[in-house]
């Protein structure tokens, strides 16, 4: 009688909204990335068109798909997203295609220049071609595993400060970028804000990828009983940063619904939101949290 699950989240969780679509196809475009930005943009355009032709209503691109993944490259390839047009050819292409093909695009991420700062930024475009949301990577990838990998994103990038959840034509989506997936609190905030799906463009490496990439996706999906989609660049063993690949769609029971290896490919998979409530009824953790013992506080809400 002392358990009050509503108190476990502050403010209380928003009821899962009714999505515009219950069933649809998602496309995960695992792209090869080169040092030629124009080539990368043209290549992404083709992959998006092909995924849409196969019926995808939502398309997800990888982290940093228009540029090599390096601190040296970020300032060179960065675009002024807010200015748009010629100042941001990558997002101009995404806007054009989302409108032309009547699809929702979670545009992976690109280096963004805003004033004197650089960000790792994901843009979401609706079926009308308009920018619906812009997520700046909140948790920067600053790690040092001696003899394995050292990367300090904060040498060039600034961390974002806003969780991003967006209502789209394919449901309510929470956005994270790569390292953001390691922080369960962010995913829990998205779930409490009524997300159906979490999208994480990412580029895990050859050290942490085999150990943690799938594990973290399945954990975020299982913890919050929703879908998790990830998209990585294809592996390039000649590059300075070698991505693990393995773009994946995970269902609300933690089941891997679709995945791939490390080569360039596009995954087309089915999402069925009708099972979300079923899973939450079968395993009612949302009603069993001990609000008398602990609480997740969404500070911005």
């Amino acid at each position: 009688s002392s358990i009050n699950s509503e108190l476990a989240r502050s403010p209380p969780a928003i009821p899962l909204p009714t999505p515009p679509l219950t069933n649809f196809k998602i496309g995960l475009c695992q792209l090869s990335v080169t040092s030629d930005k124009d080539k990368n943009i043209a290549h992404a355009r083709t992959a998006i068109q092909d995924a849409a032709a196969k019926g995808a209503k939502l398309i997800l691109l990888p982290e940093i798909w228009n540029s090599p993944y390096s601190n040296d490259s970020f300032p060179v390839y960065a675009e002024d997203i807010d200015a748009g047009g010629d100042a941001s050819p990558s997002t101009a292409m995404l806007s054009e295609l989302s409108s032309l093909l009547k699809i929702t695009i979670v545009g992976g991420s690109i280096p963004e220049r805003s004033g004197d700062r650089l960000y790792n930024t994901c843009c979401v475009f609706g079926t009308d071609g308009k920018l619906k949301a812009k997520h700046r990577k909140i948790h920067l990838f600053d790690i040092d595993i001696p003899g394995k990998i050292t990367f300090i994103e904060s040498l060039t990038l600034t961390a974002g400060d806003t969780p991003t959840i967006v209502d789209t034509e394919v449901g309510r989506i929470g956005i994270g970028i790569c390292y953001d997936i390691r922080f369960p609190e962010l995913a829990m905030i998205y779930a409490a804000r009524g997300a159906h799906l979490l999208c994480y463009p990412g580029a895990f490496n050859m050290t942490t990828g085999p150990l943690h990439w799938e594990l973290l996706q399945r954990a975020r999906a299982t913890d919050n009983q929703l879908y998790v989609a990830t998209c990585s660049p294809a592996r390039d063993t000649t590059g300075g940063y070698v991505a693990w690949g393995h773009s994946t769609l995970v269902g609300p029971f933690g089941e891997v619904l679709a995945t791939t290896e490390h080569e360039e490919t596009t995954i087309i998979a089915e999402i069925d939101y009708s099972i979300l409530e079923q899973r939450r009824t079968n395993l009612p953790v949302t009603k069993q949290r001990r609000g008398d013992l602990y609480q997740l506080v969404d500070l911005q809400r």
Side-chain angles (χ1 to χ4, degrees), residues 40-261:
N40 293 334
I41 294 172
H43 193 47
R45 174 189 290 274
T46 299
I48 292 169
Q49 290 171 325
D50 290 346
K54 293 174 181 175
K57 294 298 183 184
L58 170 63
I59 293 176
L60 177 59
L61 297 185
E63 180 184 26
I64 308 294
W65 57 267
N66 71 343
S67 160
Y69 189 89
S70 73
N71 279 313
D72 290 340
S73 298
F74 296 151
V76 177
Y77 290 75
E79 301 182 5
D80 186 340
I81 295 171
D82 291 339
D86 292 340
S88 186
S90 300
T91 59
M93 180 272 291
L94 299 180
S95 173
E96 176 194 346
L97 283 189
S98 61
S99 176
L100 178 66
L101 302 173
K102 302 304 177 189
I103 56 174
T104 300
I105 298 177
V106 177
S109 76
I110 65 170
E112 178 196 10
R113 184 179 301 280
S114 181
D116 60 354
R117 294 184 175 183
L118 298 176
Y119 298 93
N120 186 341
T121 301
C122 175
C123 293
V124 181
F125 290 91
T127 56
D128 57 1
K130 294 181 180 179
L131 180 65
K132 297 183 74 70
K134 186 171 71 170
H135 177 77
R136 289 169 170 168
K137 190 174 185 176
I138 293 174
H139 305 93
L140 295 183
F141 182 57
D142 288 3
I143 72 164
D144 181 15
I145 303 175
K148 296 290 185 179
I149 182 170
T150 299
F151 202 100
I152 310 296
E153 269 191 331
S154 62
L155 290 176
T156 53
L157 300 178
T158 299
D161 58 10
T162 305
T164 305
I165 191 162
V166 54
D167 285 312
T168 75
E169 292 80 356
V170 289
R172 186 169 293 179
I173 302 175
I175 306 293
I177 298 174
C178 200
Y179 204 55
D180 285 339
I181 200 173
R182 288 191 177 273
F183 299 87
E185 300 89 348
L186 180 62
M188 291 173 70
I189 284 172
Y190 289 152
R193 294 185 185 185
H196 301 100
L197 164 70
L198 306 183
C199 287
Y200 294 96
F204 267 48
N205 55 77
M206 298 297 292
T207 299
T208 60
L211 291 170
H212 301 155
W213 178 238
E214 183 181 295
L215 171 69
L216 289 166
Q217 295 172 61
R218 296 184 67 195
R220 299 295 83 85
T222 305
D223 289 347
N224 299 291
Q225 298 178 311
L226 40 62
Y227 283 91
V228 169
T230 62
C231 191
S232 167
R235 189 179 305 169
D236 178 5
T237 56
T238 67
Y241 183 93
V242 182
W244 171 239
H246 295 263
S247 303
T248 302
L249 176 66
V250 179
F253 243 28
E255 69 276 35
V256 174
L257 298 173
T259 190
T260 187
E261 295 295 323

